[in-house]
């Protein structure tokens, strides 16, 4: 239908090349009469009169308006499907297909007898979900608080151990200097005593290392689970390491006593420190042993902090609790708030026409199920399918006159698709929509509508009637009588109305254009002009 409208438009525009012609039965007598008259005149005036008289029209300036006509289907720009908010029987359904309704009209009335009981049950379920979530959050809060407190204690202990280590390192630095100063005062057996003191210090370092190894093995032995793979082999290995470390400590202690006796023999103090240097060395060794113990305690505390579990609720647990509470609240909404909605029924939200009804009166409406469909008869337009060849004529914003049945409306071209698609016949068409600016209650959705749009308009331009313009394969042309001679003029045609065409070039204002159509008109023939009257008289054509 739309393709046909566009084709008709193009055909009308080409009509300037298809001028009015008299039927064959009328042309032959006229031509005969013309020939007889010509012969008579020739005899009367001695054969000197050979010019033919043609009716002409003058090229003049006028206003011209080019229109585009097509047709389409009236559609609504606003449609809404109304769904049931409750599970309840439809007591009354006043929505009837095809009937107009006004905004606020009550169309559906529900039977809400059973909703009160459901409302009480849902309220209890909501309270239960809230209390369960509150209990879980409180227990999680207490556990988290306890964990945070333990973490703070661990942090404080780690900070204290680091402070003690720093102090002990400073103390060792001073003891080293003291031992060095004391060693300088001993002049007798200095080398041997120094060597013995170094051995004793190394011995003490080795003792500390062996004790640390023994403690680590024992600690690991305590943490081995009986259910762990190869637990027996692991325990045996750790017991062996602890025993070997203990034996090494015993050996080092015996070696240390031997070195102590040797130091006494060389003149060291009774306590085996070898005087001031010996005492300083012994204090230094003791300080180093204490430093290693502090470092071991720090490492254990840091490992314990890194592996500590978070007692708080996870993000997933919190989300799940929120979802469960929302579900309970929605259930309560279904029975409490939607009970209110059920009592209110369903009202039309805008003026329109009932397009479809899914829940007849007496049926059971299902929550979320369709009840009826309402389309607006105020937000309406016409959907078009225009031939792709007429795409250039569609400019959004153009005004249009829309005819629906016996009524005319003002409209505006609202949108034009950016792709041509094949219609049912396989021809490419462009989709477009014209908005009806002044809708009323007489508009019927889904019917055919005629659309007329002004695509071009010019004022005070040179024009000719469409019927005087000839069209050939190489373009448009007219016959002009100048100085008693017929001359063929090629012209460029601009915009075209149903009766007039703009002449862009080829002739000038006032030129006398032959208005008759006859195969006897030839370029260069002699002719006289008979002006066509302006009172609308019928033009005689040859």
């Amino acid at each position: 239908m739309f393709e046909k409208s566009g084709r008709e438009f193009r055909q009308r525009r080409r009509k300037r090349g298809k001028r009015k012609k008299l039927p064959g039965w009328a042309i032959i007598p006229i031509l005969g009469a013309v020939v007889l008259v010509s012969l008579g005149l020739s005899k009367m005036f001695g054969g000197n009169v050979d010019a033919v008289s043609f009716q002409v029209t003058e090229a003049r300036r006028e206003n011209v308006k080019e229109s585009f006509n097509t047709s389409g289907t009236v559609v609504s720009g606003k449609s809404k499907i109304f769904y049931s908010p409750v599970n309840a029987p439809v007591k009354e359904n006043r929505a009837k297909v095809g009937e107009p309704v006004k905004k606020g009209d009550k169309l559906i009335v529900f039977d809400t007898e059973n909703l009160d009981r459901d409302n009480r049950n849902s309220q209890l379920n909501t309270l239960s979900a809230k209390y369960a979530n509150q209990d879980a959050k409180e227990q999680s809060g207490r556990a988290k608080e306890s964990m945070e407190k333990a973490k703070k204690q661990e942090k404080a202990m780690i900070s204290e151990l680091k402070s003690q280590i720093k102090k002990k390192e400073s103390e060792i630095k001073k003891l080293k200097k003291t031992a060095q100063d004391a060693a300088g005062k001993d002049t007798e057996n200095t080398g041997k005593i120094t060597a013995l003191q170094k051995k004793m210090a190394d011995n003490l370092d080795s003792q500390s290392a062996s004790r640390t190894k023994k403690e680590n093995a024992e600690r690991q032995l305590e943490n081995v689970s009986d259910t762990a793979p190869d637990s027996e082999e692991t325990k045996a290995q750790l017991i062996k390491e602890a025993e070997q470390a203990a034996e090494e400590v015993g050996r080092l202690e015996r070696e240390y006593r031997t070195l102590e006796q040797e130091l006494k023999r060389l003149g060291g103090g009774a306590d085996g420190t070898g005087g001031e240097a010996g005492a300083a060395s012994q204090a230094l060794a003791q300080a180093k042993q204490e430093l290693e113990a502090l470092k071991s305690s720090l490492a254990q505390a840091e490992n314990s902090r890194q592996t500590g579990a978070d007692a708080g609720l996870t993000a997933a647990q919190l989300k799940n609790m929120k979802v469960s509470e929302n579900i309970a609240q929605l259930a309560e909404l279904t029975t409490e708030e939607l009970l209110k909605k059920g009592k209110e029924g369903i009202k039309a939200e805008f003026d329109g026409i009932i397009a479809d009804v899914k829940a007849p009166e007496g049926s059971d409406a299902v929550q979320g199920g369709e009840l009826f469909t309402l389309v607006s008869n105020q937000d309406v337009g016409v959907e078009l399918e225009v031939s792709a060849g007429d795409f250039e004529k569609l400019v959004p914003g153009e005004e249009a006159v829309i005819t629906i049945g016996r009524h005319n409306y003002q409209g505006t071209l609202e949108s034009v698709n950016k792709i041509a698609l094949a219609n049912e016949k396989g021809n490419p068409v462009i989709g477009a929509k014209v908005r009806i600016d002044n809708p009323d209650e007489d508009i019927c959705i889904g019917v055919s509508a005629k659309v007329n749009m002004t695509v071009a308009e010019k004022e005070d331009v040179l024009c000719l009637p469409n019927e005087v313009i000839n069209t050939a394969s190489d373009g448009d042309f007219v016959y002009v009588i100048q100085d008693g001679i017929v001359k063929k003029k090629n012209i460029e045609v601009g915009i075209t109305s149903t009766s007039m065409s703009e002449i862009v070039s080829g002739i000038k204002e006032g030129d006398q254009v032959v208005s008759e159509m006859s195969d006897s008109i030839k370029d260069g023939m002699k002719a006289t002009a008979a002006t066509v009257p302006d009172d609308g008289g019928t033009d005689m054509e040859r």
Side-chain angles (χ1 to χ4, degrees):
M1 176 176 64
F2 304 111
E3 178 188 354
K4 179 179 178 183
S5 299
R7 185 169 61 250
E8 289 175 351
F9 175 82
R10 292 193 299 275
Q11 289 173 347
R12 286 197 300 273
R13 193 173 176 186
R14 288 197 297 266
K15 281 182 180 178
R16 59 173 180 262
K18 297 180 180 179
R19 310 307 161 193
K20 295 180 180 179
K21 294 184 179 181
L22 293 175
W25 60 267
I27 293 176
I28 294 174
I30 293 174
L31 289 176
V34 170
V35 170
L36 291 174
V37 170
S38 298
L39 291 174
L41 291 173
S42 177
K43 291 179 179 180
M44 185 181 298
F45 295 101
N48 294 328
V49 179
D50 57 358
V52 181
S53 177
F54 291 110
Q55 292 184 345
V56 297
T57 183
E58 289 188 358
R60 58 189 177 187
R61 294 187 173 275
E62 294 187 13
N63 299 334
V64 62
K65 180 189 297 184
E66 182 175 342
S67 299
F68 175 64
N69 294 283
T70 184
S71 60
T73 303
V74 179
V75 296
S76 175
K78 183 178 182 181
S79 174
K80 180 174 181 180
I81 299 175
F82 288 78
Y83 299 92
S84 175
V86 295
N87 293 320
V90 178
K91 188 175 182 179
E92 294 181 42
N93 188 343
R94 301 164 187 168
K96 308 300 178 184
V97 175
E99 290 189 359
V101 297
K102 291 291 187 181
K103 179 179 179 181
D105 286 352
K106 192 169 186 178
L107 303 177
I108 300 292
V109 178
F110 293 106
D111 182 355
T112 59
E113 182 179 353
N114 296 325
L115 293 178
D116 287 328
R117 180 182 65 252
D118 296 338
N119 180 42
R120 289 192 294 271
N121 291 335
S122 65
Q123 288 176 342
L124 292 175
N125 290 335
T126 300
L127 286 175
S128 176
K130 287 182 178 179
Y131 290 148
N133 289 344
Q134 183 178 350
D135 177 66
K137 289 179 180 179
E138 289 178 356
Q139 291 187 14
S140 174
R142 288 193 291 268
K144 188 174 182 180
E145 184 180 352
S146 176
M147 179 60 72
E148 291 296 331
K149 185 177 180 180
K151 287 183 177 181
K152 287 181 180 179
Q153 291 175 347
E154 287 179 352
K155 186 176 180 181
M157 182 176 68
I158 290 172
S159 178
E160 178 62 23
L161 286 172
K162 288 181 178 180
S163 178
Q164 291 179 9
I165 288 172
K166 188 175 181 180
K167 290 180 180 178
K168 186 61 65 177
E169 288 175 344
S170 178
E171 180 183 344
I172 288 173
K173 186 176 181 180
K174 292 179 181 179
L175 287 173
K176 284 182 179 179
K177 187 175 185 306
T178 300
Q180 290 173 358
D181 293 343
K185 296 179 181 179
D186 295 337
T187 56
E188 195 173 332
N189 296 327
T190 300
K192 291 182 179 181
I193 291 174
T194 300
L196 284 173
Q197 289 174 343
K198 185 178 183 308
K199 286 182 178 181
M200 292 174 71
D202 292 339
N203 182 282
L204 290 174
D205 290 342
S206 297
Q207 286 186 43
S208 177
S210 295
R211 289 190 181 93
T212 299
K213 185 176 181 181
K214 175 176 175 295
E215 291 173 357
N216 288 338
E218 291 173 347
R219 189 161 47 249
Q220 294 179 21
L221 184 61
E222 292 175 354
N223 293 330
V224 174
S225 174
D226 292 337
T227 59
D230 302 328
S231 59
E232 294 300 328
E233 295 180 4
T234 303
K235 286 183 178 181
Q237 180 65 28
L238 292 173
I239 291 172
K240 183 177 179 181
E241 291 179 2
E243 289 177 349
Q244 289 177 349
E247 291 176 359
E248 181 67 13
V249 170
R251 186 188 67 78
L252 290 170
E253 288 177 347
R254 291 192 295 274
E255 181 181 334
Y256 185 84
R257 287 194 291 272
T258 301
L259 293 173
E260 192 176 36
Q261 290 175 0
E262 180 65 18
L263 182 62
K264 288 181 180 180
R265 189 182 65 78
L266 291 174
D271 55 0
T273 59
E276 292 182 7
S281 297
Q282 188 175 7
L284 178 61
Q286 182 65 28
K288 287 182 177 180
Q289 187 175 0
E290 293 173 354
L291 177 62
E292 290 300 324
L294 290 172
K295 288 182 177 180
S296 177
S297 298
L298 176 62
Q300 185 177 0
E302 287 180 337
N303 289 334
S304 175
R305 181 182 63 177
Q306 292 172 358
T307 58
D310 188 0
L313 292 172
T314 64
Q317 288 173 324
L318 290 172
K319 287 181 179 179
N320 185 58
M321 291 170 65
K322 186 175 181 180
V323 168
S324 65
E325 193 167 331
N326 285 343
I327 290 174
Q329 289 175 347
L330 287 174
E332 184 176 354
L333 179 67
T334 303
T335 57
E336 181 178 349
E337 184 174 335
L338 294 184
L339 171 61
K340 180 181 178 181
K341 291 183 178 293
K343 290 180 178 179
E344 291 176 352
I346 304 297
K347 298 179 181 180
E349 296 181 3
F350 50 87
D351 293 353
I353 300 171
I354 301 298
D356 188 24
V357 176
K358 295 293 187 182
E361 191 170 296
S363 64
D364 290 329
V366 179
Q367 185 178 8
E370 291 186 28
L371 296 174
F372 61 90
T373 301
L374 178 64
V375 296
S376 173
N377 59 359
Q378 299 300 313
D379 181 2
V380 288
V382 180
E383 285 188 348
L384 308 176
E385 284 187 357
V386 180
S387 172
D390 293 323
F391 175 70
E392 62 182 7
K393 300 180 179 66
L394 302 178
V395 179
E398 286 183 345
E399 296 181 353
V401 176
I402 302 165
T403 303
I404 304 174
R406 299 185 303 274
H407 304 279
N408 291 330
Y409 302 90
Q410 298 301 314
T412 304
L413 183 59
E414 191 173 56
S415 62
V416 180
N417 292 349
K418 299 301 182 183
I419 183 172
L421 302 174
N423 61 8
E424 295 179 354
K425 297 181 179 180
N427 299 320
V429 293
I430 298 291
K433 184 176 181 181
V434 177
R435 183 183 68 250
I436 298 177
D437 297 329
N438 58 334
D440 56 25
E441 295 180 353
D442 293 323
I443 288 180
C444 183
I445 306 297
V447 302
S448 177
K450 297 178 181 179
V451 178
N452 176 273
M453 290 182 286
T454 299
V455 298
E457 185 174 5
K458 290 186 179 180
E459 296 181 356
D460 193 29
V461 293
L462 190 62
C463 294
L464 282 176
N466 291 336
E467 60 267 17
V468 307
I469 301 173
N470 301 278
T471 300
S473 59
D474 58 348
D476 298 324
F477 66 93
V478 295
Y479 289 110
V480 178
I481 298 179
Q482 292 181 348
D483 300 326
I485 301 298
V486 174
K487 293 185 178 180
K488 180 181 178 181
K489 296 283 188 178
N490 292 322
I491 61 172
E492 180 183 354
V493 177
I495 66 174
T496 302
S497 70
T498 56
S499 61
M500 303 293 291
S501 294
E502 175 195 9
I503 307 302
V504 178
S505 64
I507 62 173
K508 62 182 182 298
E509 185 177 0
D511 280 353
Q512 293 181 322
V513 179
V514 177
S515 60
E516 299 184 32
M517 304 298 296
S518 172
D519 293 338
S520 64
I521 302 175
K522 303 296 182 182
D523 187 24
M525 68 184 298
K526 295 180 179 181
T528 59
T531 305
V532 176
D534 292 334
D535 57 0
T538 303
D539 295 339
M540 295 299 292
E541 299 184 358
R542 299 178 66 86

